[in-house]
Amino acid sequence: MAVAAAAALVGPTVAAEATVAEQARSIAGSWKGGVYGDNGASAGYTAKVTIRKNARGRWTGRVSYPGMCSGKWAMRGKSGGAVKFVERITRDPAGGVTCVSPVNAKVRREGAKLRVTWTEPRSGDSATMLAKKV
């Protein structure tokens, strides 16, 4: 009986630790960082990404490039530990001239940070961000 009681106490603790570890690896949350490499630039601009799971269990997101554009992310699948999205700009103050849309985005955790890689389907140009949780 003591063994059963001890197992009952260990079970929830192990499950709770697994949940905490899963949350620590999750891409969910708001992230902010510098975007580099766009159009060959060595330094660029700031982006903020907010990612969550919707009611159907699919990842969705919102992205903003402060002072420039903003848009939405729709999940397109998973591959090699990354989640793939398509980004569609919904607000561009210059009427579609400032930001390219649609763009592919690939997201993965790297420790406490989130790496985002954007690729423009037409030109093949890419940019990356290593973001901190905000």
Side-chain angles (χ1 to χ4, degrees):
M1 199 145 139
V3 172
L9 292 175
V10 171
T13 303
V14 171
E17 288 173 7
T19 301
V20 169
E22 183 179 306
Q23 289 172 346
R25 290 187 301 270
S26 175
I27 63 172
S30 292
W31 305 86
K32 187 176 182 179
V35 179
Y36 297 91
D38 194 28
N39 290 320
S42 59
Y45 45 88
T46 301
K48 182 178 180 186
V49 177
T50 301
I51 303 170
R52 68 176 186 83
K53 275 195 176 178
N54 65 17
R56 293 180 291 170
R58 293 191 53 86
W59 292 106
T60 64
R62 293 195 169 276
V63 62
S64 66
Y65 305 97
M68 294 191 290
C69 304
S70 60
K72 295 181 180 181
W73 283 8
M75 184 178 163
R76 290 295 179 237
K78 295 180 182 179
S79 175
V83 180
K84 296 178 178 183
F85 295 92
V86 64
E87 174 181 300
R88 297 194 188 280
I89 297 300
T90 56
R91 184 181 129 337
D92 183 340
V97 175
T98 307
C99 294
V100 176
S101 183
V103 174
N104 297 318
K106 185 167 63 169
V107 175
R108 81 172 64 239
R109 280 296 293 268
E110 290 187 8
K113 296 185 178 181
L114 185 78
R115 178 163 307 274
V116 180
T117 303
W118 288 270
T119 305
E120 295 179 17
R122 289 172 278 171
S123 70
D125 190 32
S126 66
T128 61
M129 172 177 75
L130 190 57
K132 295 180 181 178
K133 206 163 200 177
V134 292

